[in-house]
Amino acid sequence: MDLRRVRREISENDYVNAIKEEINKVVKLQEELDIDVLVHGEPERNDMVEYFGEQLSGFAFTVNGWVQSYGCRCVKPPIIYGDVSCLKAMTVFWSSMAQSMTKRPMKGMLTGPVTILNWSFVRNDQPRHETCYQIALAIKDEVEDLEKAGITVIQIDEAALREGLPEI
């Protein structure tokens, strides 16, 4: 069952319990494989940009604005329309839950500001670097929240770092 799709069809409690069960499976498998630093599998996430954009101010999403990303993979790129800031901790709940399931380090996984910027429709009333800086500050807030929660390994993915660079 794709829990992200049925989220609106089940209670919040049932959703959290189902995601917790999926995280527990991933944690146990990684322990059986004797992996040193674990990840929680991110079953609560839809897309690496959309997930964070949904929780930051200044972002909007369409319902049916799907764009082909690569191959047969499609995404709904966010629209950055205003100033960006972190409203609340975005990953601490799930990362902390996963950490409580193991004695091994649990890695906090974040999407980087350049990737969020490059895979979004960006406002044109200010320079892109200012919008990117706002996103970076929001991600910095999340890093600090994860550190306060005891997450000792944090990875910031910049899958789109090359995109948007000047051509040589």
Side-chain angles (χ1 to χ4, degrees), residues 46-52 73 111-112 115-116 119 157-159:
N46 40 24
D47 171 77
M48 67 186 293
V49 172
E50 185 178 2
Y51 178 80
F52 289 95
R73 185 175 185 283
T111 301
T115 297
I116 292 172
W119 289 354
D157 288 330
E158 282 292 14

Side-chain angles (χ1 to χ4, degrees), residues 56-59 80-85 123 125-126 130-131 134:
L56 295 168
S57 67
F59 282 76
I80 303 175
Y81 67 88
D83 288 338
V84 177
S85 64
R123 60 191 283 193
D125 64 329
Q126 72 179 12
E130 288 183 25
T131 303
Q134 291 175 355

Side-chain angles (χ1 to χ4, degrees), residues 15-26:
Y15 174 77
V16 168
N17 286 334
I19 294 292
K20 183 177 182 179
E21 185 178 316
E22 292 300 314
I23 291 172
N24 193 48
K25 287 179 195 174
V26 171

Side-chain angles (χ1 to χ4, degrees), residues 48-49 111-119 128 132 156-166:
M48 67 186 293
V49 172
T111 301
V114 174
T115 297
I116 292 172
L117 181 84
N118 284 337
W119 289 354
R128 287 175 65 86
C132 191
I156 301 175
D157 288 330
E158 282 292 14
L161 185 62
R162 281 187 355 190
E163 297 173 28
L165 290 176

Side-chain angles (χ1 to χ4, degrees), residues 96-114:
S96 296
M97 177 188 292
Q99 183 62 74
S100 73
M101 297 174 183
T102 183
K103 293 185 186 327
R104 297 178 188 198
M106 181 62 58
K107 186 189 311 182
M109 302 285 289
L110 308 174
T111 301
V114 174

